[in-house]
C-alpha cells in the first residue's frame, strides 16, 4: 500500500504542472472530452507498463549500480522539471497544436489524443519517477497502479476542470517544487551509497 500511495503522490505532483496536462486541455478544446480522455488514458497505461518494466529490470542490478541508476534518473527528472519551471518560454501544448480540425469520429479523436500524449510522455519526469520507484521499492504492480491512477486523475482534471486549475495554480511553481523534490531523491539515493 505504501508503494501505491508513494507512486500516486509523486506522479500526481509531477504531472499537475506538466506539458501533458496542458496538451490534454488543448485537445479537449478541439475534440469532445470522452474520446480525449479515452486516448490519453490509453497512452498513460502503455507508458506506465513501459516504465514499470524498465524499473523491474533495474532491480536485477547490484545495489551499488542500482543506487547510481536511480540517482541519475531522479537527477535527470530534477533537471527537466527545474529547466521547465525556471524557463520563460511557454511551450505548453505545442504537440497538441498540430492536431488540426476536430474530426467527427470517436476513434479518430481518441487515436489523435493517444498519439500526442504517448509522444509527450517519453522520457517525461513521471515516467522516470515510475521506473525509479519500481527499482527502489521493488513492487511493480503497486507502483504501476499508483502511477496510472495519478495520471488518470490528471487527465480527468484536464478534461473536466482543467481550465479552472490552470488559472488557480501556478504551473511553474509546482514544477520548481517537484524539481527540488527530485533533486532530494537523487541526493538520498547517492547518500545510500555511503551506508
Amino acid at each position: 500500500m505504501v508503494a501505491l500511495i508513494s507512486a500516486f503522490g509523486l506522479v500526481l505532483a509531477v504531472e499537475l504542472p506538466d506539458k501533458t496536462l496542458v496538451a490534454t486541455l488543448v485537445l479537449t478544446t478541439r475534440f469532445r472530452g470522452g474520446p480525449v480522455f479515452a486516448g490519453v488514458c490509453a497512452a498513460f497505461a502503455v507508458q506506465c507498463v513501459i516504465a514499470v518494466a524498465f524499473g523491474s529490470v533495474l532491480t536485477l542490478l547490484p545495489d551499488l549500480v542500482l543506487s547510481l541508476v536511480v540517482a541519475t534518473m531522479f537527477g535527470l527528472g530534477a533537471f527537466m522539471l527545474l529547466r521547465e519551471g525556471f524557463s520563460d518560454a511557454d511551450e505548453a501544448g505545442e504537440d497538441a497544436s498540430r492536431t488540426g480540425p476536430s474530426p467527427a469520429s470517436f476513434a479518430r479523436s481518441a487515436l489523435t489524443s493517444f498519439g500526442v500524449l504517448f509522444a509527450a510522455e517519453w522520457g517525461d519526469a513521471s515516467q522516470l519517477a515510475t521506473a525509479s520507484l519500481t527499482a527502489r521499492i521493488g513492487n511493480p504492480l503497486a507502483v504501476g497502479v499508483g502511477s496510472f491512477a495519478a495520471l488518470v486523475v490528471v487527465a480527468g482534471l484536464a478534461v473536466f476542470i482543467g481550465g479552472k486549475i490552470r488559472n488557480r495554480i501556478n504551473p511553474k511553481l509546482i514544477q520548481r517544487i517537484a524539481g527540488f523534490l527530485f533533486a532530494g531523491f537523487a541526493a538520498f539515493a547517492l547518500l545510500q551509497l555511503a551506508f
Side-chain angles (χ1 to χ4, degrees):
M1 190 63 147
V2 172
L4 191 142
I5 292 169
S6 298
F8 180 85
L10 181 61
V11 171
L12 186 66
V14 167
E15 279 299 309
L16 275 176
D18 196 55
K19 65 185 177 296
T20 53
L21 176 111
V22 179
T24 305
L25 283 169
V26 171
L27 285 165
T28 303
T29 65
R30 295 172 181 228
F31 306 116
R32 291 172 306 169
V36 170
F37 186 71
V40 166
C41 287
F44 285 150
V46 173
Q47 289 290 12
C48 278
V49 168
I50 291 168
V52 166
F54 180 67
S56 296
V57 169
L58 291 178
T59 61
L60 302 174
L61 298 173
D63 287 342
L64 174 68
V65 176
L66 177 60
S67 291
L68 287 172
V69 170
V70 169
T72 301
M73 289 194 315
F74 274 125
L76 180 61
F79 171 76
M80 290 168 38
L81 286 165
L82 291 171
R83 184 185 63 192
E84 286 184 33
F86 286 104
S87 73
D88 292 331
D90 184 19
E91 301 171 8
E94 280 182 3
D95 293 330
S97 66
R98 291 181 253 169
T99 59
S102 175
S105 76
F106 182 97
R108 178 143 176 130
S109 300
L111 285 173
T112 301
S113 300
F114 176 88
V116 168
L117 270 290
F118 185 77
E121 280 297 297
W122 277 107
D124 193 56
S126 63
Q127 192 178 43
L128 294 171
T130 302
S132 298
L133 284 174
T134 300
R136 180 56 58 203
I137 296 172
N139 190 342
L141 181 61
V143 170
V145 169
S147 295
F148 179 69
L151 292 167
V152 169
V153 167
V154 170
L157 288 172
V159 170
F160 297 111
I161 57 171
K164 293 178 184 178
I165 287 175
R166 184 171 168 128
N167 292 334
R168 293 183 184 181
I169 294 176
N170 181 351
K172 296 289 186 188
L173 177 63
I174 295 174
Q175 285 174 329
R176 292 172 188 168
I177 291 169
F180 286 121
L181 281 173
F182 266 48
F185 293 146
F188 180 74
L190 289 174
L191 282 174
Q192 287 184 325
L193 294 173
F195 298 105

